[in-house]
Amino acid sequence: MKTFIMKYKKEILILSILNLITYIFILINPILLQYIIDNVIMNNEKKLFNLILIILILSYALSTIASFLSNYYTEYVNIIIFQEKSSELISIILTSHKYMNTGDTISRLTDNLRLIINLISLIIPKIILNIFVIVVPLLIMFYIHTKLTILILTPIIIYIFISYIIGDEIEKIEMKILKNNSELFSLFKEIFTSKEFINSFGIEKLFLDKYNLKTNEYKKNILNCAKITSINFSFESIITVIPILILIIYGGLLIINKELTIGKLALFMSYIYLIFSPITELSMNWINYKKIKPAIIRINELYKLNKNTKLSKDALNIKKEK
């Protein structure tokens, strides 16, 4: 999988840079807001206000252009990787001597491959963006007031730890779901290709019972996955409120004691809202990665057929020489 990712490192880098540029406007807004409150409003610095307006317009234009390019290039990368990898895998399957269930193979070439492509074009660039959008505001917040930033970070660290545990549980369930999918694909193929045979012997109930058994197992795994994901959302909504309360109570005391300006409190408030969006997104991307991991294993199994095919060809050559 590392080789797979490294092959498309240029595409990942370009998408990451474009995503970072789209966030320039959002990242500088809290800093400009602080200057508007502390300098323009409080000290009546009108020249600074004009400069802030120019910076806002330029950053917004740059972010809009980058957003367009990012969306277009994501689709371009998706189709290019799909063409290359699906062609490779079909070639391996055609030259392999090992029997593979048709429904299972179709599931791997469609659903599983699409998940891995999303890892390259969406999830990895998003994770890089999330880390950047979290780290930059935190560095600014630490610079302004270290103690206040540490207090705000405490519930966030707890949430990240919970998300890590939930991600591991999701991975186990997702492997079962992918297996259920492939079994259902195979059963559909068996039913549709054997319809006349099933009708002739009157064994419709046998196949219907078999289908119901598979769908009940699939439903159980889907609901388990939904339950664990919902737990993650619940923690997210609770923990989002705690840093705001800390900021209002402790930040208010700092303003009263003249240790913090109103502009800097507004900056903190803006960055807390800004940070929580990528933190929750990072949590979801971690869970999405865990969901994709079983798909990676299933695609790797197809690539292993290539090695087995080479070995069988070598063995045939040796026999011919003898």
Side-chain angles (χ1 to χ4, degrees):
M1 191 58 206
K2 286 180 182 177
T3 310
F4 185 89
I5 292 169
M6 289 306 291
K7 185 179 178 182
Y8 298 102
K9 61 184 178 183
K10 186 186 84 174
E11 286 79 4
I12 292 170
L13 181 64
I14 292 169
L15 283 168
S16 300
I17 291 167
L18 288 171
N19 286 339
L20 292 175
I21 294 169
T22 60
Y23 259 77
I24 285 175
F25 178 72
I26 297 168
L27 280 172
I28 66 166
N29 268 350
I31 299 168
L32 297 176
L33 178 65
Q34 184 221 319
Y35 278 105
I36 287 169
I37 294 169
D38 289 343
N39 297 79
V40 177
I41 295 172
M42 297 296 185
N43 298 328
N44 200 28
E45 295 181 21
K46 292 180 181 178
K47 288 182 181 179
L48 181 62
F49 182 69
N50 294 331
L51 179 62
I52 288 169
L53 278 177
I54 293 166
I55 293 168
L56 275 172
I57 293 164
L58 289 174
S59 62
Y60 179 75
L62 191 62
S63 295
T64 304
I65 293 165
S67 179
F68 165 77
L69 293 172
S70 175
N71 289 329
Y72 177 80
Y73 194 66
T74 298
E75 292 303 320
Y76 171 79
V77 169
N78 282 342
I79 193 64
I80 291 297
I81 297 175
F82 179 75
Q83 280 184 317
E84 287 181 8
K85 293 301 161 188
S86 59
S87 179
E88 280 178 17
L89 291 168
I90 289 169
S91 176
I92 290 166
I93 291 162
L94 289 172
T95 55
S96 173
H97 299 292
K98 186 179 177 181
Y99 169 77
M100 288 200 71
N101 186 289
T102 306
D104 180 61
T105 307
I106 292 168
S107 174
R108 291 174 196 244
L109 286 171
T110 53
D111 297 341
N112 298 170
L113 184 58
R114 284 285 182 190
L115 285 171
I116 296 173
I117 292 168
N118 283 341
L119 178 68
I120 300 293
S121 65
L122 291 172
I123 293 175
I124 293 176
K126 280 285 183 185
I127 287 172
I128 293 167
L129 174 66
N130 294 153
I131 292 167
F132 179 81
V133 175
I134 292 166
V135 170
V136 172
L138 280 177
L139 289 174
I140 295 166
M141 289 162 73
F142 266 111
Y143 177 76
I144 292 169
H145 204 285
T146 305
K147 190 177 177 181
L148 181 59
T149 307
I150 291 168
L151 285 170
I152 289 166
L153 274 178
T154 306
I156 296 172
I157 292 165
I158 294 166
Y159 173 68
I160 291 167
F161 178 70
I162 291 165
S163 296
Y164 179 82
I165 295 168
I166 287 171
D168 284 340
E169 289 301 313
I170 289 285
E171 182 184 344
K172 294 170 190 174
I173 297 169
E174 192 63 24
M175 180 59 97
K176 293 177 184 176
I177 291 170
L178 290 177
K179 188 182 174 185
N180 293 148
N181 273 333
S182 66
E183 287 172 351
L184 283 169
F185 267 116
S186 300
L187 185 59
F188 288 145
K189 179 182 174 290
E190 189 179 355
I191 290 169
F192 297 145
T193 55
S194 310
K195 188 175 178 293
E196 290 181 7
F197 173 80
I198 294 165
N199 291 337
S200 299
F201 286 88
I203 52 174
E204 292 90 348
K205 191 178 183 302
L206 177 71
F207 277 87
L208 189 60
D209 289 343
K210 191 176 178 182
Y211 173 77
N212 289 332
L213 183 69
K214 295 291 181 189
T215 51
N216 283 334
E217 189 182 344
Y218 179 69
K219 181 177 77 174
K220 180 186 171 184
N221 289 324
I222 286 288
L223 290 176
N224 281 339
C225 185
K227 182 172 69 178
I228 294 171
T229 307
S230 298
I231 291 168
N232 189 59
F233 279 123
S234 299
F235 276 109
E236 176 190 319
S237 59
I238 293 166
I239 292 170
T240 306
V241 177
I242 298 170
I244 302 295
L245 291 173
I246 292 169
L247 180 63
I248 292 167
I249 296 164
Y250 188 67
L253 290 171
L254 290 173
I255 289 173
I256 292 165
N257 295 326
K258 295 182 179 179
E259 294 178 40
L260 198 72
T261 65
I262 297 169
K264 286 176 180 176
L265 182 71
L267 181 142
F268 262 85
M269 186 70 79
S270 300
Y271 273 148
I272 286 172
Y273 282 112
L274 182 62
I275 286 169
F276 259 101
S277 176
I279 284 174
T280 52
E281 199 174 315
L282 190 62
S283 169
M284 287 309 301
N285 281 329
W286 169 249
I287 289 168
N288 287 335
Y289 169 71
K290 286 294 186 177
K291 284 183 177 181
I292 290 169
K293 216 171 172 186
I296 295 168
I297 293 166
R298 285 166 59 78
I299 291 294
N300 276 340
E301 285 171 357
L302 292 180
Y303 276 106
K304 284 176 184 175
L305 291 175
N306 195 31
K307 294 177 183 177
N308 295 335
T309 304
K310 286 177 182 176
L311 286 171
S312 62
K313 284 179 180 177
D314 291 341
L316 287 169
N317 289 335
I318 291 165
K319 284 179 183 178
K320 283 177 184 177
E321 285 173 11
K322 286 180 179 180

